[in-house]
Amino acid sequence: MLWNRNNEFLVSAGSVLYFVSNNGFKPVLRARRGNWFCHAVEACNKVFIQEYGKSPTGIYVSEDIEDFKLLVTNRDIDPLSRHFHYIVFDEERRVLITTLGDGNIVRVAVSADCGLSWRPLYKGPWQFAPVLVERDRWMFGFDSGIAKGGVAIYNFNEDDWVFAFLKPDGYQSAQFTSITRFNDYYIGCLGYPAAILASKDLLHWYPLHIDPTSTKYNHFADATIWRDKLVVATGKELLIFDSRDVEKAFRRKPFLSPYKAYLDRVKGALYVLKRLPWMLRL
């Protein structure tokens, strides 16, 4: 389920987006074969849907939840990109934010006019998937093929980026699928390794749950807040935690911790140099 309001729902199943209500359900949007719809956000009295998969992928918009039109494709923002990763809305600043991958140079793009036009916010080597909007900053979870893992913070007022490089314990890399806030904690879901983590400072992440049987990236790990509970869907299980469960996680060994990333920074610089003409053009 991507969206709901007043007993009306948008549900993604395979490559089809369904509108579900008390009157039944019907398909309202189809992705290209093999693609699917990952995220939805309500903004500007409209609903925006983000597609994931093979290029080109799109961001679609609807005013009535039933008729959708293509707003922009990943290639419109960066011709080198493969697909969109995420979409979110900063209600205070009235800005749509999307992340893109793979092998491209424009990693984050924003729209201040309800999706009519987009501009690059971050061009560089580090790739992100989820976005968390919080007060005067936006937080991005790494989904990188260069760095082992990490979190990026964009300070809106200073127009400044901070990158925290994080190394997983016992794994080569860690890729975020979602970051959310639960009381005083940050909760991160990893697609690989399949894990649910908690942090107080975005630098040290402690395990709430790790699936040691996971062998490949899980796109569907996500967390949401329901009343005073943290509800996590892993694709295999539905897990429910409360604040006491989260506090217990901080007694364990951190799963993600800072590392210097000297070699990864060099790889990142080489990545940018290889794509410098595109970086200057876009």
Side-chain angles (χ1 to χ4, degrees):
M1 184 177 67
L2 301 184
W3 175 91
N4 72 90
R5 183 181 63 192
N6 300 329
N7 293 321
E8 296 180 335
F9 307 88
L10 290 174
V11 178
S12 178
S15 59
V16 182
L17 182 70
Y18 292 92
F19 173 68
V20 181
S21 68
N22 293 331
N23 297 322
F25 67 93
K26 66 176 181 179
V28 292
L29 187 62
R30 294 182 184 272
R32 63 177 298 180
R33 187 172 183 179
N35 290 6
W36 65 93
F37 301 104
C38 270
H39 303 99
V41 64
E42 193 166 352
C44 309
N45 298 316
K46 303 174 184 177
V47 173
F48 297 80
I49 300 290
Q50 172 246 317
E51 178 187 3
Y52 180 87
K54 296 180 180 179
S55 186
T57 61
I59 292 174
Y60 301 82
V61 63
S62 174
E63 295 183 3
D64 61 7
I65 322 301
E66 297 188 48
D67 295 315
F68 283 85
K69 67 177 182 180
L70 177 63
L71 193 62
V72 66
T73 73
N74 59 286
R75 289 180 180 174
D76 295 330
I77 296 174
D78 184 340
L80 296 181
S81 65
R82 184 182 180 189
H83 45 224
F84 290 111
H85 280 166
Y86 208 87
I87 187 170
V88 72
F89 183 58
D90 184 330
E91 294 185 6
E92 181 179 343
R93 295 174 182 84
R94 311 294 295 173
V95 174
L96 283 163
I97 311 158
T98 189
T99 54
L100 303 90
D102 297 323
N104 56 308
I105 201 68
V106 177
R107 303 301 200 168
V108 182
V110 295
S111 172
D113 56 8
C114 301
L116 296 178
S117 63
W118 296 82
R119 67 173 180 86
L121 180 69
Y122 170 70
K123 296 184 285 185
W126 316 124
Q127 178 171 292
F128 318 120
V131 188
L132 175 63
V133 174
E134 187 181 70
R135 296 188 296 274
D136 294 328
R137 60 183 187 172
W138 300 338
M139 283 150 282
F140 300 80
F142 269 46
D143 175 42
S144 178
I146 303 174
K148 297 181 184 299
V151 174
I153 301 172
Y154 175 68
N155 296 296
F156 191 90
N157 294 334
E158 290 79 19
D159 189 25
D160 177 59
W161 286 89
V162 176
F163 302 99
F165 296 92
L166 307 176
K167 181 180 180 179
D169 180 33
Y171 291 84
Q172 289 295 317
S173 63
Q175 298 171 291
F176 280 94
T177 59
S178 76
I179 299 179
T180 191
R181 193 71 188 259
F182 177 55
N183 296 331
D184 295 329
Y185 316 110
Y186 296 101
I187 304 297
C189 296
L190 301 184
Y192 183 82
I196 314 302
L197 310 176
S199 176
K200 295 179 181 179
D201 60 5
L202 296 174
L203 296 178
H204 301 86
W205 294 78
Y206 297 81
L208 270 168
H209 171 80
I210 298 176
D211 180 1
T213 67
S214 65
T215 58
K216 58 183 180 180
Y217 188 84
N218 174 15
H219 296 86
F220 305 106
D222 196 14
T224 189
I225 310 304
W226 180 69
R227 297 180 180 175
D228 62 343
K229 305 292 184 181
L230 174 69
V231 181
V232 180
T234 68
K236 294 181 179 180
E237 304 170 281
L238 187 66
L239 307 174
I240 301 177
F241 304 97
D242 59 24
S243 296
R244 290 173 296 179
D245 298 321
V246 178
E247 276 297 329
K248 289 178 183 178
F250 292 103
R251 303 173 192 169
R252 302 170 187 143
K253 181 182 179 181
F255 184 77
L256 287 180
S257 300
Y259 74 110
K260 298 299 184 181
Y262 293 129
L263 180 57
D264 293 342
R265 293 171 192 265
V266 172
K267 292 179 180 178
L270 294 175
Y271 180 97
V272 171
L273 285 174
K274 186 176 179 181
R275 294 160 179 81
L276 189 58
W278 280 103
M279 189 168 186
L280 297 175
R281 186 184 308 177
L282 294 173

